[in-house]
Amino acid sequence: MKLTIDTTDRLDKALARFYPDAGRKQLAALIADGAVRVNGKHASKGDRVTVGDVVELAREPVSGTALRPAPDPDVPLTVLLEHTDLVAIAKPAGMPSQPLRAGELGTVANALAFRFPECVAIGDDPRDGGLVHRLDIGTSGVLVAARTPEAYRALRAAFGSGMVIKHYLAITDGRPAARECDAPLAQRGKRVVVDAAEGLPAYTEIAVEHAAPGHARVRCIARTGRMHQVRAHLAHVGSPISGDTLYGGAPLIGQNGFFLHALSITLPIGREPLVIEAAIPDRFTNALHTCALL
């Protein structure tokens, strides 16, 4: 497929004008896979294009229903709560929340599509599979999906208005120097950075539950839901999450990945708030022992 560019912009943004439903992540993946050429040369992330440039795509991005998660019976699904309007599951660390590409398997959304097929068509993004929020691949804990369009809209509105309360447990390098962080956050590639000019409002409460030489067990409460919010805020106050090398955390000897667990979520449903909790996984408990935090 050949495209002639009619504007000057970053390559992924220019492609988004031709494929508005494909999603920026899918377009970035095409570039990273070497499937995009500009004027005959392989494109790189961050390249800019100008009027008259010719862009060639080895394959076109998919959109619409083709992006919906396919049922995957091989993905384990730990259900914490099954309700007529929603389902809450315990996501393990290392599992993506949703697929990025058409036909991709092995995500929470794929497991939901098999166990709760009504979730497949629910969401603003066809890849959502009913999910009303997401957790990073390396984060474990409570993840919620809607089973009806009405529930999806209500829950998304609750998240957007700050009515949803999320408690996280983290192991940090050192002891956080602040009890809260309200630094505005902006995405820059794979990372999120503090940006007072262009960042979105974000607020995290920080409470040290136990401290030991070199590490701390920290409870964080977030009402906003920015990408990598807890990870970026803890790094900003001087105590990145242990193992979170993207934000300056040092790897734990004998342990893989970083240590952030979505311990509970409180939803404004019915007369009383609905609190859903996920047990601390064994890998997290083992790391707590390693850091003398139990």
Side-chain angles (χ1 to χ4, degrees):
M1 168 64 68
K2 288 188 178 183
L3 308 171
T4 301
I5 300 299
D6 59 1
T7 186
T8 297
D9 209 336
R10 206 171 66 192
L11 175 58
D12 58 343
K13 291 185 177 180
L15 287 175
R17 292 187 175 91
F18 291 92
Y19 303 100
D21 298 326
R24 192 71 58 79
K25 287 186 178 180
Q26 184 185 182
L27 296 175
L30 283 176
I31 297 170
D33 291 345
V36 181
R37 291 175 177 265
V38 177
N39 299 327
K41 297 182 180 179
H42 279 294
S44 299
K45 179 181 177 182
D47 282 356
R48 296 186 66 82
V49 290
T50 189
V51 176
D53 283 347
V54 176
V55 177
E56 299 176 75
L57 280 71
R59 63 180 187 275
E60 286 193 276
V62 295
S63 60
T65 58
L67 282 172
R68 289 179 177 174
D72 189 345
D74 296 325
V75 179
L77 193 67
T78 301
V79 176
L80 300 172
L81 175 70
E82 186 175 340
H83 188 274
T84 54
D85 292 327
L86 62 85
V87 57
I89 65 99
K91 187 186 90 66
M95 181 185 292
S97 294
Q98 62 177 179
L100 295 180
R101 302 176 179 85
E104 182 180 350
L105 299 175
T107 76
V108 172
N110 295 119
L112 288 169
F114 176 74
R115 178 83 174 269
F116 303 96
E118 66 275 13
C119 291
V120 172
I122 298 174
D124 295 331
D125 185 323
R127 298 169 299 180
D128 283 344
L131 292 174
V132 296
H133 65 126
R134 300 164 192 167
L135 293 176
D136 301 335
I137 292 177
T139 303
S140 57
V142 183
L143 195 57
V144 178
R147 300 179 67 183
T148 69
E150 294 77 16
Y152 180 86
R153 288 192 293 270
L155 288 168
R156 288 295 296 163
F159 273 91
S161 62
M163 296 175 65
V164 176
I165 304 172
K166 292 160 288 182
H167 285 243
Y168 291 87
L169 192 64
I171 299 174
T172 63
D173 291 351
R175 182 180 184 134
R179 294 182 179 180
E180 62 181 4
C181 183
D182 61 358
L185 301 175
Q187 185 177 353
R188 297 288 185 269
K190 293 182 178 180
R191 299 180 74 252
V192 165
V193 300
V194 172
D195 189 327
E198 299 181 1
L200 296 173
Y203 179 74
T204 305
E205 295 179 34
I206 302 169
V208 175
E209 293 188 338
H210 187 66
H215 296 281
R217 186 178 78 225
V218 178
R219 173 82 64 114
C220 294
I221 302 175
R223 287 183 180 269
T224 52
R226 308 305 178 198
M227 175 181 171
H228 296 184
Q229 176 177 320
V230 175
R231 298 167 65 184
H233 273 175
L234 285 173
H236 184 64
V237 299
S239 293
I241 295 172
S242 300
D244 192 1
T245 56
L246 184 64
Y247 289 94
L252 286 179
I253 297 175
Q255 306 286 344
N256 295 319
F258 61 85
F259 294 88
L260 181 63
H261 178 66
L263 191 63
S264 71
I265 190 166
T266 302
L267 303 173
I269 294 177
R271 295 181 179 179
E272 297 292 334
L274 177 63
V275 180
I276 307 169
E277 299 180 338
I280 300 173
D282 289 343
R283 69 177 290 273
F284 204 108
T285 301
N286 292 338
L288 289 170
H289 279 293
T290 297
C291 299
L293 294 173
L294 279 180

